[in-house]
Amino acid sequence: MSLEDTQARGARAEDGWIGSRPTAAQIAAFLAIGSVALIMAGVQPVVLGGLVDAGRLDVNQLGWSVTIEFLAIGLGVGLADAFLPPRRLKLVGFVAALVLAVVNLAGLEVSGLGVLVIRALAGLAEGGLVWLTTLMIVRSPTPGRWSGIFLVSQAVLQVACAAGIPLLVSPSLGANAGFATLGASAVLAAAVAFVLPASLAPLAGNTSDEPVLAEPIPKAAYVSLAAVFLLFSFFIGFLAYVEQLAGQAGLTPVQGGLAVALALGSSIVGSGLAAVVAERIPYHRAFLVCLPVFLSVLVGLWVLPGPGVFLAFAGLHGLAWGFCRRCRRRSSSSRTPRGGRFCWPPAFRPSARPLGQCSARSLSAPTRFAARWSPRARAWRPRSSWR
């Protein structure tokens, strides 16, 4: 074992952190920049839906934009984890946030394939910012707790943006409201990056005399990870098109944004409920409980109900998803027969999400998106209020 690894194993603060414990302000900065990086994950229906309604993007390109961005986030996290040491964090955070701001503001002038290009570039920058948050989480004595806090912080920010963009920004900026909000948020993240610590202690790594896999991974681990992969694919595939479904069900753009915000907000409530009962029921039973709820939401939205019922279904979907997401943490981070623990790498979740968009996109197009699924569907047309 190298001297660096020995020092890393021994460099634990008294409270269990690997290396020095970040200050409260630094922890808040880590959570803030990661949450800003993932705003788009929750407001894609509002931001890209506005472009569709303005004629700058079609439904097929919407699905590709979402898919490409999530793949780029996973790639960005993986590249940063592979090539960047945990040093010069202020500079890394500032540069990544500045790039994200420039790319988002460039979206004010693009349409069609240009949107796909800027979302790919944005995803790479977002991946770098998420990587910074991951550095803090994996060095904490309770990574599961900090992961939960990170999920809540990003969900709260997503809810605020999903509800605020249609109400406060869209009336003056129209379809560019989303990109303007994302750009301004990235500028704030660039300023917050200077609060980050200069560096973090290295993690102990494997050497040539230490096998990477100290014990075989059980088959149940692969099954659990596959289930979580599909769960994320389903949720993000649903969320990507919910604003378009809302429009075809007769909801206004503001009501469509409210549906997205309600789904995200309800997921926080679902996570809180799961935190109370998660230890009392096996996680696979929790999944089975959520399955009929998801199916009922899909069947209910298939008929394109009125605004009140549509919002209720959106909230129910978010509630079940939050409950399921909290319980799935036990399935994706479980003990092996010898007492070890398996879990997914940082890029796993962003890489899982594009499958949902690919599946949904294959069943949608501007001329058949709703008509294929509902007798109430009208011909697809832009809503001029976004222009």
Side-chain angles (χ1 to χ4, degrees):
M1 184 181 298
S2 66
L3 177 60
E4 184 182 34
D5 288 339
T6 302
Q7 292 173 340
R9 291 182 188 276
R12 289 182 177 269
E14 294 180 358
D15 54 2
W17 286 78
I18 297 177
S20 300
R21 186 187 192 280
T23 65
Q26 290 170 343
I27 292 176
F30 276 119
L31 295 173
I33 61 175
S35 298
V36 168
L38 294 176
I39 289 177
M40 187 61 170
V43 301
Q44 282 172 336
V46 176
V47 176
L48 299 181
L51 297 181
V52 172
D53 294 333
R56 292 166 55 184
L57 202 68
D58 62 39
V59 174
N60 193 42
Q61 291 172 332
L62 182 152
W64 275 113
S65 298
V66 177
T67 300
I68 289 172
E69 182 163 0
F70 276 124
L71 286 174
I73 292 175
L75 180 61
V77 174
L79 290 175
D81 196 50
F83 296 107
L84 294 180
R87 298 190 297 271
R88 298 180 179 176
L89 302 185
K90 298 177 188 287
L91 178 61
V92 173
F94 175 76
V95 172
L98 190 62
V99 170
L100 181 59
V102 171
V103 170
N104 282 326
L105 294 177
L108 300 175
E109 302 296 332
V110 300
S111 59
L113 294 178
V115 177
L116 276 66
V117 174
I118 67 166
R119 295 329 302 164
L121 296 175
L124 291 174
E126 290 162 352
L129 294 175
V130 171
W131 172 74
L132 289 172
T133 306
T134 304
L135 292 180
M136 183 274 293
I137 292 175
V138 299
R139 285 165 174 76
S140 70
T142 54
R145 174 173 173 266
W146 285 108
S147 294
I149 294 174
F150 181 42
L151 287 174
V152 172
S153 68
Q154 62 182 264
V156 170
L157 191 55
Q158 290 168 356
V159 170
C161 290
I165 290 174
L167 286 172
L168 305 176
V169 191
S170 292
S172 58
L173 296 181
N176 284 327
F179 285 137
T181 303
L182 293 172
S185 300
V187 171
L188 292 177
V192 172
F194 290 104
V195 183
L196 296 174
S199 63
L200 291 174
L203 295 176
N206 292 304
T207 58
S208 57
D209 60 343
E210 292 180 296
V212 175
L213 294 179
E215 58 180 296
I217 298 178
K219 294 180 180 179
Y222 292 107
V223 175
S224 296
L225 292 178
V228 173
F229 188 96
L230 294 175
L231 280 170
F232 271 99
S233 299
F234 163 73
F235 176 72
I236 300 301
F238 171 88
L239 191 64
Y241 288 99
V242 68
E243 200 272 345
Q244 291 298 302
L245 285 171
Q248 294 180 33
L251 278 70
T252 65
V254 172
Q255 290 173 328
L258 180 60
V260 177
L262 186 60
L264 294 170
S266 298
S267 70
I268 300 176
V269 178
S271 296
L273 177 62
V276 176
V277 302
E279 300 300 328
R280 305 177 187 176
I281 59 174
Y283 61 81
H284 60 273
R285 292 185 181 177
F287 291 172
L288 292 177
V289 169
C290 293
L291 179 60
V293 176
F294 289 136
L295 290 176
S296 66
V297 170
L298 293 178
V299 172
L301 295 183
W302 177 77
V303 299
L304 297 179
V309 177
F310 192 101
L311 292 174
F313 276 125
L316 180 61
H317 181 275
L319 184 69
W321 164 245
F323 185 86
C324 195
R325 181 176 62 178
R326 177 64 176 80
C327 292
R328 62 88 186 157
R329 286 170 52 191
R330 295 169 57 202
S331 72
S332 58
S333 180
S334 302
R335 292 197 177 278
T336 62
R338 299 183 187 178
R341 187 175 290 275
F342 69 89
C343 61
W344 57 40
F348 177 87
R349 190 170 67 184
S351 300
R353 290 169 170 171
L355 178 63
Q357 287 99 40
C358 289
S359 301
R361 188 182 62 250
S362 67
L363 300 173
S364 63
T367 58
R368 59 174 180 163
F369 184 72
R372 177 166 183 168
W373 296 108
S374 173
R376 287 191 54 201
R378 302 180 297 276
W380 184 89
R381 62 181 184 273
R383 282 174 285 163
S384 58
S385 56
W386 276 107
R387 292 184 182 275

